[in-house]
Amino acid sequence: MPAGMAEAARDARLHEWKEVARVNGMETAQFSALVVVGLLVFFYGGTFLISTRIGKKEENADGYMTAGNNIGFGISAASMTATWIWASSMYASATSGYTYGISGPIHYGLWGALMILFIYPFGKRIRAVAPKAHTLAEVMYVRHGRSSQLMLAGSNIVGSLISLMSNFIAGGVLISLLSPFTFTQGVFAVAAGVLLYTLWSGFRASVLTDFVQVVAMLGAVAVIIPVIFFAADFPAAFESGAGHLTAQQGDFFSSTAFMEQGAPYIAAVLAYAIGNQTIAQRLFAVKENLIKPTFITATVGYGAMVIGVGMLGVLALYLGHEPAGGDLNNIIPGMAAEYLPPVLLALFFVMIVGALSSTADSDLAALSSIMMADVYGQNVAGKGKADPKTMLLVGRITMVVATAAAVAFASLQLNILDLLVFVGALWGALVFPVLASFYWDKVTGRAFTTSVLAALAVFLPVRFSWIPVDGFFGIVVDVLAVAGVGVVLGLMVFGFLGARAAKIAGAVAVVATAPFAVGSLHEYATLCGSLVAYSVSTVICWAMSVRQSEGFDFAVIARRTGDFDSGPTAAADTDGTDPQDTGHGPDSRTGSGTVTVAK
């Protein structure tokens, strides 16, 4: 075929797939409305069919929440990877690369991957203590009582709603940029699609569709990222576009990137790992002997994919690419629309929709399990009286209400990266009290509640600069933040090497950081807010617990948490006390008997 005819045929095929629009002076590819609807029907229709194949005529409440605590390696590893890789992760990684240069995606993806790795030693302990639990808050109810349970459950409700909202924002941005549909129409389409298949079988639908979605996402990234790089004339673009970078953006060891992105994210994702119900739900669902390989595999998958996608932000920076409307959330869709051919653009569209859906369905499953187990199961009906059919109704109503709320909040179009760091820092107040409650028999409910509330009271004014942090108060904030550095590093070491090594690592971190940090660290509000949340909660929780003379019998947790479908025989007495235990100490729910203290 002559060159001219071939070119004409190619152009004809191109216009069958997409239209050309001009956004802020930049030509971007847009699919027709029919194509977008077809892609959405293909994706969500397929996931719905998968969910109907695993649905049960007589649904099981425990299966709806944790799939019987018996998920195998392949499904669990894929689900953990897909849950951690959400559209917000991709968008935020690209934003980090565009803002901080080549080290940005490394700081985002590497630390996030390592945090998945750090989950598994804590996860093994949590499953050993509570092998049949559904939520961490459910365990806190037995460990301390209602206040700590509702505090942890409440933080997860807020976190999951923000996560759900940010995924809907990502979907709305994608659809509005690549199609004639508006942002609001895109948000409604994604929300309806996710709810369609998750409502049917709950957590089982989430994990099974996660497997399909993560395989598709990894395959798409392996093809799409190299194509965009070469279409943008890589590596010549990195030579010709160096002038677009500041000195800090061009420095791989940028102090600005570390202090504003890397360090806050290290602290934030550790909190995500411990406080997030979507992670805990998978921890309780996987077979206990597969926890380690599951989380190691997810570590590798997450790091490779998120760092790779984040490099699109770096490429955009070198090319001088201006995101549509000045919104950094538009970087990835804009780059894809500009450089991908129609077929790969369709693949990219499905990849992003799959990424956001895999996490959105996890958020819906997490919210439903919290309302089923923590609100209705233990606080409304009582463990021995909870009706599994009513629990299922509560779970499904929760999904519908949560979807509606997230759609409403998505209209605010908040910055995704800011949301991620904020929620992670918020959960930082809970990390030490929650972990200590699984390892240290002296922690009391009063210590848990007081330490978390005090940490939040300090975190909020520091994070949002409600109080001037200069002069003496600035020094106090710096000292607390330095202590927070020791807490974060100490907890990381503790999971693998135990308390002795953790104390040494924490002390060394404080001594090494103090000379450089005191006097200047308060200038980084995001980082400081997160670190003071860690330090304040740790110091107060330890101080209020260390003098306790009586300890907690961790075996009580396994006896008082378990299946709701098995009826009263699997539960404790309806008033929440086990007839084999006698309460003592400041916590009415502490059991007597042999005190079990973890190494």
Side-chain angles (χ1 to χ4, degrees):
M1 180 183 294
M5 293 178 63
E7 188 172 327
R10 183 196 64 196
D11 290 342
R13 289 194 302 270
L14 179 66
H15 286 286
E16 288 176 6
W17 277 85
K18 62 184 181 179
E19 301 165 355
V20 176
R22 186 169 295 275
V23 180
N24 284 7
M26 177 189 70
E27 282 198 347
T28 61
Q30 283 194 316
F31 290 118
S32 67
L34 183 61
V35 170
V36 170
V37 170
L39 290 173
L40 290 174
V41 170
F42 167 76
F43 178 82
Y44 287 120
T47 50
F48 175 71
L49 288 176
I50 293 173
S51 69
T52 57
R53 294 292 298 273
I54 61 172
K56 296 182 178 181
K57 186 175 181 180
E58 294 294 331
E59 187 59 83
N60 177 291
D62 295 300
Y64 197 84
M65 290 187 283
T66 55
N69 311 101
N70 199 39
I71 296 180
F73 169 71
I75 297 292
S76 59
S79 182
M80 185 65 248
T81 305
T83 298
W84 206 254
I85 298 174
W86 43 337
S88 299
S89 296
M90 296 182 183
Y91 284 26
S93 183
T95 297
S96 185
Y98 190 83
T99 304
Y100 301 110
I102 194 167
S103 64
I106 306 296
H107 283 305
Y108 189 95
L110 178 62
W111 303 127
L114 289 180
M115 287 308 103
I116 302 176
L117 185 66
F118 284 122
I119 297 172
Y120 94 75
F122 296 123
K124 292 174 68 175
R125 170 63 181 172
I126 291 170
R127 277 296 295 274
V129 170
K132 292 288 187 178
H134 307 86
T135 71
L136 285 178
E138 179 186 1
V139 180
M140 291 301 106
Y141 179 77
V142 177
R143 182 68 174 86
H144 298 306
R146 186 170 283 108
S147 63
S148 58
Q149 178 205 25
L150 296 180
M151 192 173 291
L152 187 55
S155 69
N156 267 287
I157 290 172
V158 173
S160 288
L161 280 175
I162 290 177
S163 170
L164 196 60
M165 174 187 67
S166 66
N167 278 289
F168 290 166
I169 289 173
V173 167
L174 177 71
I175 291 174
S176 65
L177 194 62
L178 299 183
S179 78
F181 295 113
T182 65
F183 170 82
T184 302
Q185 290 170 331
V187 168
F188 272 98
V190 170
V194 173
L195 183 62
L196 174 69
Y197 71 86
T198 311
L199 191 67
W200 186 266
S201 299
F203 180 74
R204 288 200 312 275
S206 175
V207 294
L208 187 57
T209 54
D210 280 349
F211 179 82
V212 178
Q213 290 161 356
V214 80
V215 170
M217 283 190 291
L218 291 173
V221 166
V223 174
I224 288 171
I225 303 303
V227 169
I228 292 179
F229 265 75
F230 285 112
D233 199 21
F234 173 84
F238 276 71
E239 298 175 2
S240 60
H244 293 121
L245 278 66
T246 64
Q248 284 290 320
Q249 288 174 331
D251 184 4
F252 184 79
F253 299 100
S254 167
S255 59
T256 300
F258 179 75
M259 295 300 291
E260 295 183 4
Q261 171 65 60
Y265 200 58
I266 293 173
V269 293
L270 178 59
Y272 261 98
I274 303 305
N276 193 332
Q277 171 59 17
T278 63
I279 308 301
Q281 201 165 15
R282 280 148 184 79
L283 173 63
F284 288 126
V286 66
K287 292 180 180 178
E288 194 168 348
N289 64 327
L290 296 177
I291 291 175
K292 181 177 179 179
T294 291
F295 284 93
I296 290 177
T297 303
T299 297
V300 177
Y302 173 90
M305 186 167 181
V306 171
I307 292 174
V309 173
M311 287 300 170
L312 290 180
V314 179
L315 179 61
L317 177 64
Y318 274 88
L319 292 171
H321 173 87
E322 291 292 335
D327 186 353
L328 296 181
N329 294 333
N330 291 336
I331 292 173
I332 290 181
M335 291 289 288
E338 189 171 357
Y339 293 106
L340 287 178
V343 174
L344 290 184
L345 188 59
L347 183 62
F348 165 82
F349 183 90
V350 173
M351 178 190 76
I352 297 297
V353 170
L356 66 89
S357 299
S358 66
T359 304
D361 63 32
S362 300
D363 288 319
L364 288 178
L367 286 165
S368 66
S369 67
I370 290 171
M371 296 302 291
M372 291 168 71
D374 295 311
V375 178
Y376 171 77
Q378 289 183 316
N379 285 288
V380 176
K383 184 66 180 290
K385 296 181 179 179
D387 179 11
K389 291 183 178 180
T390 304
M391 291 185 75
L392 285 168
L393 179 62
V394 168
R396 288 179 169 133
I397 290 174
T398 298
M399 288 190 181
V400 175
V401 173
T403 301
V407 167
F409 291 138
S411 63
L412 300 175
Q413 297 192 54
L414 302 175
N415 183 280
I416 292 174
L417 187 57
D418 287 345
L419 287 175
L420 295 178
V421 175
F422 170 74
V423 175
L426 189 66
W427 275 329
L430 288 158
V431 173
F432 181 85
V434 169
L435 286 178
S437 297
F438 280 99
Y439 288 88
W440 191 19
D441 63 328
K442 304 294 185 184
V443 179
T444 68
R446 188 176 295 109
F448 185 104
T449 303
T450 304
S451 62
V452 172
L453 291 177
L456 291 177
V458 178
F459 160 73
L460 291 172
V462 172
R463 171 64 181 84
F464 296 106
S465 302
W466 292 347
I467 301 175
V469 288
D470 49 9
F472 175 76
F473 187 70
I475 298 297
V476 172
V477 170
D478 287 345
V479 171
L480 290 174
V482 168
V485 173
V487 172
V488 171
L489 294 181
L491 288 174
M492 292 178 180
V493 172
F494 171 72
F496 291 96
L497 302 177
R500 181 183 178 89
K503 292 175 182 177
I504 294 173
V508 170
V510 169
V511 171
T513 306
F516 307 99
V518 176
S520 62
L521 196 55
H522 60 267
E523 297 174 4
Y524 301 92
T526 301
L527 175 59
C528 257
S530 182
L531 292 176
V532 298
Y534 275 98
S535 62
V536 170
S537 62
T538 299
V539 170
I540 293 178
C541 186
W542 175 84
M544 293 183 66
S545 303
V546 70
R547 296 183 181 275
Q548 293 299 316
S549 58
E550 298 181 12
F552 178 82
D553 180 6
F554 286 102
V556 173
I557 294 176
R559 293 198 294 271
R560 294 185 186 168
T561 58
D563 294 343
F564 284 92
D565 285 282
S566 300
T569 57
D573 285 354
T574 57
D575 65 355
T577 56
D578 192 309
Q580 299 179 15
D581 300 311
T582 56
H584 66 82
D587 287 289
S588 63
R589 298 193 174 280
T590 13
S592 62
T594 305
V595 174
T596 306
V597 182
K599 294 181 180 179

